[in-house]
Every structure is written in structure tokens, then in C-alpha cells.
Amino acid sequence: MAYAASFETLRWDAPQAAGSFARLRDGRLVLIDQTLLPGELSHLVCTTPEEDWDAIKRLAVRGAPAIGIAAAYGVCLGIQPLFAEGKTPAREELLAKVGQTAAYLATSRPTAVNLFWALDRMKARAAAEKNASAADIAAALMEEAQRIHDEDRTLCRRIGRFGAELIRDGDTLLTHCNAGALATADYGTALGVFYAAQEEGKKIRVYADETRPLLQGARLTAWELAARGIDVTLICDSMAAMLMRRKKIDAVFVGADRIAANGDVANKIGTYSVAVSARAHGIPFYVAAPFSTFDLTLSDGGQIPIEERDPEEIRRGFGIQTAPDGVKIYNPAFDVTPAGLISGIVTEKGVITPVTAGRIAQFAQKEQGAAG
Ligand code: MRU
């Protein structure tokens, strides 16, 4: 199929509604079904938290920031039935439903902290609406979900501009998995850095790891980079070290699912191998992520929960049997790259380097940087 020039990763759809309460009551969540890309660009409509949970679980919507946004809208879906047919719930009933829906959505995937961060924001917003009616709390929740969504657009552009300063005209870059528009509201973190460099007129080339076993690099990154006119070459994951040895890569940029207080980074399985190879070849390795991806309650990456997925994704990926029935399969979806291998973490507040607990704590307290 032709590359889409532009797309919306996810949106809250309530065309006839006027005002936040009506938008909540009459809306639904529309997502690109990323499991079908690149063959088909089609949308999935979620009208219940269960449908949203399922979309997150099976990676129809994926990438840490996009999961957070989808979960925030999922809370809105959860309280909708309380207002069906003109009903008005009691405030306590509404708050209980918010808590219940958030707890349920939190069970969809364990690693990306943006999921829990967004759900916590929704619960906090509901709790902050003291003495408000149920309808007013619902309106506030709609606004909060929309705010989480809108903020992501701004944050990603800031990350992009800070990260682009690390890229020279003519550089060749490597990325792993998909930390692009499809993983966020619309721009991306690691790929946002490439888009910002491109917007500044720098000519760049990108190698995209295909990213076994679910091929986010091949199916999604190659698709969206090509759609935006970036010179992209797809490689198998096992080829990256050889390219580095041949001096074909100037820098690596990846996203993150959760960053511990000391700077250890959980990201898509295979990221750690890329970081080790980059260090062995003296190539800078950068992580790009918003502050919502930091989990400062964890002192190091050893405490980050790592999702294990269905062995069938490896045995029969995309419906083709590539391993014998009965053979044992281990399928962790993420790994942890130690802070010591990371040259810098590009955030909306600037680039954290060196990556140490002290620097991260300083940045966490800092106001957002000047990049627009
Ligand atoms: O399993 P996925 O596809 O959700 O994994 C996504 C990643 O690992 C991304 O690199 C990460 O979430 C950052 S997205 C800006």
C-alpha cells in the first residue's frame, strides 16, 4: 500500500458533542490497529474498557506514551454507562467506578510506566474535584484525558528539538523498535528526534532494526519513516553490530518504557544488545523519553517488571510456524540497559548527561527547557 502521509495514532471521537461532559458521554476511542500495519491502515473503535484493554494487550495500540493516552481515555469509557439514558450517578458511585476501571486497565501490560502514570493522573483528577457533581467530575476526567493527549504532542516536539542538537548533517543513525508517531500522540520520541533534525534541514539516513519477534521496526518504524520522507534501510537485529564495525552508524536513538532513578532503561527486547554493541564500537547511544517514563520510585532497573509474552509469538509469529511444537520458548518483551551504557537521555527538559541518579534528580526538579 502507499505510505500514509499523515495519520492519527488515536483519537477521542465525539463529533456531535458540545462541552466536555457531552464529549465524555457520547464519545468513543478510535485507534489505528497497529497489528495490521503495514499491510492495512485501518481503525479500531473501542466503546468499553474491555475493548481498550484488549487493544493494549495485543499491541493494537502500543508504545509507552500511546498506551498511557489510551488508558486515560479508557477511564472515560468506564464511567460512560453510569450516564446512560439520562441517568446521573452519585458522586461516590462515580469515584468507585473510576478506581475500578483504572485498576482493571492497569492489568493490561506491566512494563511501560506511562500506563500507571496516566491512570494515577486520572484518579487524582477525580479526587481533586471536591464537592463537584458526578457530571462535573466526568467533564473534568474528559479534560484530563485530552490534556494527557495534547501534552504528549508538545513534549515530543521538545524532545525532538533537544535531540536534534546531537545530530549532524549527514549522520547515519540506528533505531530499535518503534518510538515514533505510532507510539505517541503523533510525533514520537526517538523518531521525533529524527523528524526534528529533518525539519532543521539536516540530511540523515536511518537504519531500523526489524525488532524480533513482533517486528515493530519493520512493520511500523520503516513505514512511518518512509512516510515522512526519511531515507530508511531495514536490517535484521543481528546485523547492527556488523554495521557499527564497518563505521556505518554515527549514533543510536531509542525510546524507553520505564527509566529507574539511576538511569537504567527498560525498552524493547534487543535494546541492551544494541547498547553493548554501540559501546564496543565507541558509538553514542541515546534514549529519548518524556519525564512520564521515569519511575523515580525504583532505585535501579532490576526492579522494573518485565512483561513475558505468549510463546506463540515466537513459535508461530504472524501465523507461520517457525519452531517445533512442544519446544520451550522464552519471550520477554523488554530488557534493561544499564545507565553506564547510555550517553544521554533526551527529555522535554533537555539532555541528561552523564546519566546518573544525581543528574536525573536535578532534571526532575527543573522547569521545562526553552525549546518551544
Ligand atoms: O511492545 P511495544 O511495541 O509497546 O514496545 C514499545 C517500545 O519498546 C518503545 O521503544 C517504547 O515504548 C518507547 S515508545 C515512544
Side-chain angles (χ1 to χ4, degrees):
M1 64 169 282
Y3 293 117
S6 68
F7 51 81
E8 254 183 320
T9 305
L10 69 176
R11 68 171 193 277
W12 184 260
D13 195 35
Q16 308 300 331
S20 297
F21 173 70
R23 278 179 57 70
L24 177 125
R25 188 194 52 206
D26 302 338
R28 60 212 192 128
L29 176 61
V30 181
L31 313 160
I32 292 180
D33 185 347
Q34 298 189 31
T35 64
L36 302 178
L37 286 170
E40 205 180 300
L41 177 59
S42 62
H43 293 86
L44 191 68
V45 178
C46 299
T47 58
T48 64
E50 289 74 19
E51 288 169 352
D52 192 14
W53 186 98
D54 186 60
I56 295 171
K57 179 75 179 174
R58 57 183 193 84
L59 274 56
V61 59
R62 36 120 339 255
I67 291 172
I69 299 164
Y73 286 132
V75 172
C76 298
L77 293 175
I79 60 174
Q80 268 180 346
L82 301 182
F83 297 97
E85 292 149 18
K87 283 186 294 192
T88 312
R91 185 191 145 79
E92 289 64 36
E93 190 187 353
L94 180 80
L95 292 176
K97 190 72 177 170
V98 168
Q100 218 178 56
T101 309
Y104 166 69
L105 289 166
T107 63
S108 56
R109 293 189 77 189
T111 303
V113 76
N114 304 60
L115 171 72
F116 310 100
W117 167 86
L119 292 171
D120 285 348
R121 257 183 77 161
M122 295 297 281
K123 285 187 290 186
R125 181 66 193 260
E129 296 296 313
K130 307 243 185 280
N131 307 321
S133 70
D136 287 346
I137 299 174
L141 287 170
M142 185 75 255
E143 282 161 21
E144 191 68 15
Q146 193 65 58
R147 187 166 299 153
I148 289 170
H149 193 173
D150 293 341
E151 281 173 9
D152 187 69
R153 298 178 210 279
T154 312
L155 295 181
C156 284
R157 281 166 180 77
R158 284 176 178 273
I159 291 170
R161 267 171 268 157
F162 282 120
E165 290 171 21
L166 302 165
I167 293 179
R168 294 161 307 182
D169 190 27
D171 271 355
T172 300
L173 308 155
L174 175 75
T175 191
H176 188 78
C177 194
N178 174 268
L182 287 165
T184 58
D186 71 349
Y187 195 72
T189 56
L191 299 195
V193 170
F194 302 164
Y195 299 144
Q198 181 194 43
E199 285 159 19
E200 288 173 7
K202 292 175 184 161
K203 187 139 182 48
I204 55 169
R205 295 183 55 205
V206 177
Y207 282 99
D209 282 349
E210 66 177 355
T211 315
R212 285 274 294 148
L214 294 182
L215 304 183
Q216 288 92 332
R219 296 186 302 103
L220 310 176
T221 296
W223 181 79
E224 72 163 87
L225 287 177
R228 298 212 184 202
I230 290 190
D231 179 346
V232 57
T233 303
L234 182 63
I235 56 171
C236 300
D237 302 347
S238 50
M239 298 168 187
M242 185 266 259
L243 284 175
M244 290 181 187
R245 187 165 164 80
R246 290 189 177 171
K247 304 203 180 311
K248 301 282 191 202
I249 309 289
D250 296 301
V252 179
F253 285 85
V254 296
D257 285 84
R258 198 186 289 225
I259 305 176
N262 72 341
D264 291 350
V265 168
N267 191 49
K268 180 53 55 195
I269 190 74
T271 302
Y272 173 48
S273 314
V274 177
V276 169
S277 298
R279 171 57 56 90
H281 296 92
I283 295 167
F285 177 93
Y286 295 106
V287 172
F291 260 86
S292 51
T293 302
F294 284 76
D295 183 350
L296 301 179
T297 68
L298 304 184
S299 58
D300 64 69
Q303 298 164 38
I304 298 175
I306 300 294
E307 178 182 14
E308 270 190 48
R309 293 188 62 88
D310 188 344
E312 291 304 296
E313 289 179 349
I314 292 180
R315 194 189 319 278
R316 241 177 291 272
F318 306 99
I320 295 175
Q321 183 157 3
T322 53
D325 285 326
V327 81
K328 283 190 281 184
I329 288 175
Y330 177 48
N331 187 17
F334 299 95
D335 59 27
V336 174
T337 298
L341 293 178
I342 302 169
S343 313
I345 303 179
V346 187
T347 72
E348 68 271 29
K349 301 183 188 184
V351 182
I352 304 177
T353 183
V355 180
T356 60
R359 279 304 271 162
I360 290 172
Q362 274 173 4
F363 267 76
Q365 282 157 21
K366 193 173 144 175
E367 291 299 311
Q368 273 184 12

